[in-house]
Amino acid sequence: MSIIHAAITGVGGYVPDYILTNQELETMVETSDEWITSRTGIKERRILKGENKGVSVMGIAAVKQMLSKTKTDPREIDLIIFATVTPDMPFPATANVVAAAVGAVNSFSFDIGAACSGFLFALETGARFIQSGIYKKVIVIGGDKMSSILDYKDRTTCIIFGDGAGCVLLEPTSEKVGVLDSILKSDGTGESYLNMKAGGSRIPATHESVAARQHFVYQEGAAVFKFAVTNTADVAAQIAERNQLTPETISWLVPHQANKRIIDATANRVGITEDKVMMNIAKYGNTTAGTIPLLLWDYEKQLKKGDNLILAAFGGGFTWVAVYVKWAYDYH
Ligand SMILES: CC(C)(COP(=O)(O)OP(=O)(O)OC[C@H]1O[C@@H](n2cnc3c(N)ncnc32)[C@H](O)[C@@H]1OP(=O)(O)O)[C@@H](O)C(=O)NCCC(=O)NCCS
């Protein structure tokens, strides 16, 4: 019996229209375009405006686009996984909301929370369902509405994040393409450096928790930076090495977009030049679980069948991950 591989056979994405520039942030907190650009590489980010619009709005748009591009009947979808830390509600899962909205009436669906590593944890999970031989079409979405949990009075966090979502379709193939290898890691001792303290079962929402601004992202940036830079580079280098991938045979590094300095360090460690590094941090900032599918969406036209991609991310938890994907199709 031949081995079943999980191929990425389509990509979709969505970013909201509203552009929050560094210049506008200068009017909101004490910061400067120069500081943000030199410390992070971010120039602008997208914000989902409007009442009662959760992350599902962006996930639905991304999935509808992908279904239309790949001419896929939503009734054929077996499973939808949504990686997010900003679900529409604690329950039901936002993946269920998406399934209903796109007509995936025969699917089951659930969310995964692994912060900025969420999309790659979900991609590996989706790939395993495909490899079981039971599931034939799996949609993996990564997206966040970070503006819903940001304190726009805290200059250390509000300048980094933005809103957006992307998705991929996974299907089985006997060719050696798709999700070929992965290294997934987590370390719960990282909890104190990057979290949202209230709104869960430990500190449910109260007037006091709101007054104490505990429903916003809390980050000790410099500490997170140190963990992120080492661990992202480590797993990216490890996965390249154990798959005998060299700077010459790696087609693209697809790194989480948290900070351009972390991206550069990872590229250096893997030994590849900037022309092989997917990057859109300048225009979207850090969309948490959205960054990696949005990169695939932005670069889809440049990808060719057989390209070797190293995808790598680091996030709250801590969590970190690298995935080796061999691209399965030429764009047409
Ligand atoms: C957040 C981050 C950009 C901050 O950059 P940094 O170089 O570490 O900056 P520091 O936090 O050490 O702060 C340096 C100074 O800049 C100031 N500063 C922080 N944010 C600022 C802003 N937006 N504008 C101007 N100054 C700012 C700080 O107050 C500090 O001032 P001080 O020296 O007078 O105390 C960086 O730490 C980072 O990217 N961290 C990792 C983020 C990440 O990867 N998250 C995980 C995935 S989500």
Side-chain angles (χ1 to χ4, degrees):
M1 213 175 78
S2 66
I3 296 172
I4 301 169
H5 292 291
I8 295 176
T9 54
V11 179
Y14 178 83
V15 288
D17 293 334
Y18 190 87
I19 299 174
L20 175 59
T21 61
N22 288 352
Q23 284 72 24
E24 188 177 351
L25 279 167
E26 285 175 357
T27 69
M28 298 159 70
V29 288
E30 201 182 322
T31 191
S32 66
D33 172 45
E34 197 284 323
W35 193 96
I36 300 172
T37 308
S38 63
R39 303 310 289 165
T40 69
I42 302 166
K43 295 300 264 183
E44 56 192 44
R45 62 292 289 140
R46 301 301 180 99
I47 304 294
L48 183 63
K49 299 268 186 184
E51 293 288 306
N52 295 318
K53 286 189 177 171
V55 71
S56 65
V57 169
M58 298 185 289
I60 290 163
V63 169
K64 281 188 173 165
Q65 183 194 66
M66 183 276 291
L67 291 171
S68 141
K69 275 165 69 180
T70 57
K71 300 185 179 57
T72 303
D73 181 342
R75 289 170 299 187
E76 289 175 10
I77 302 298
D78 300 305
L79 165 62
I80 299 181
I81 309 175
F82 201 142
T84 185
V85 290
T86 50
D88 282 18
M89 295 171 272
F91 72 92
T94 303
N96 294 41
V97 177
V98 174
V102 304
V105 291
N106 297 311
S107 74
F108 72 105
S109 44
F110 58 87
D111 291 354
I112 280 185
C116 298
S117 306
F119 176 77
L120 292 184
F121 278 33
L123 183 68
E124 172 68 6
T125 307
R128 295 291 175 186
F129 274 93
I130 292 285
Q131 286 164 346
S132 74
I134 300 168
Y135 304 93
K136 307 292 182 205
K137 288 186 198 288
V138 173
I139 295 175
V140 180
I141 313 166
D144 273 292
K145 185 186 171 187
M146 294 306 289
S147 62
S148 67
I149 56 168
L150 284 175
D151 183 352
Y152 284 98
K153 288 187 163 41
D154 174 8
R155 68 177 181 173
T156 69
T157 51
C158 74
I159 55 124
I160 299 173
F161 296 96
D163 301 340
C167 68
V168 298
L169 179 64
L170 292 174
E171 293 180 272
T173 175
S174 55
E175 284 185 76
K176 200 183 171 199
V177 293
V179 181
L180 297 184
D181 194 12
S182 65
I183 301 172
L184 294 91
K185 298 275 187 185
S186 46
D187 176 0
T189 62
E191 174 198 322
S192 60
Y193 301 105
L194 182 52
N195 57 50
M196 189 174 104
K197 293 190 170 47
S201 54
R202 197 188 297 174
I203 309 179
T206 59
H207 290 296
E208 289 73 25
S209 69
V210 172
R213 313 187 83 74
Q214 290 181 316
H215 296 268
F216 295 125
V217 172
Y218 170 83
Q219 174 169 261
E220 291 177 26
V224 174
F225 186 90
K226 258 187 247 162
F227 280 99
V229 89
T230 317
N231 288 319
T232 315
D234 277 355
V235 281
Q238 271 169 32
I239 207 150
E241 202 180 329
R242 80 179 190 194
N243 289 283
Q244 290 86 46
L245 294 168
T246 63
E248 292 70 42
T249 57
I250 296 170
S251 315
W252 293 99
L253 177 67
V254 191
H256 173 53
Q257 307 284 292
N259 186 313
K260 182 158 187 305
R261 291 182 289 147
I262 301 173
I263 299 170
D264 292 344
T266 308
N268 277 339
R269 180 73 180 284
V270 178
I272 61 169
T273 46
E274 199 168 304
D275 56 316
K276 286 184 169 189
V277 182
M278 291 192 189
M279 211 147 12
N280 56 18
I281 189 168
K283 54 180 183 170
Y284 304 146
N286 181 351
T287 54
T288 302
T291 60
I292 288 181
L294 283 173
L295 283 171
L296 297 176
W297 181 56
D298 269 355
Y299 282 79
E300 187 188 16
K301 291 187 179 137
Q302 296 179 53
L303 290 168
K304 293 185 191 61
K305 185 170 180 182
D307 277 355
N308 291 313
L309 276 55
I310 302 282
L311 302 84
F314 182 90
F318 293 125
T319 53
W320 63 106
V321 50
V323 177
Y324 168 33
V325 168
K326 196 181 266 293
W327 201 248
Y329 62 97
D330 293 320
Y331 185 83
H332 47 254

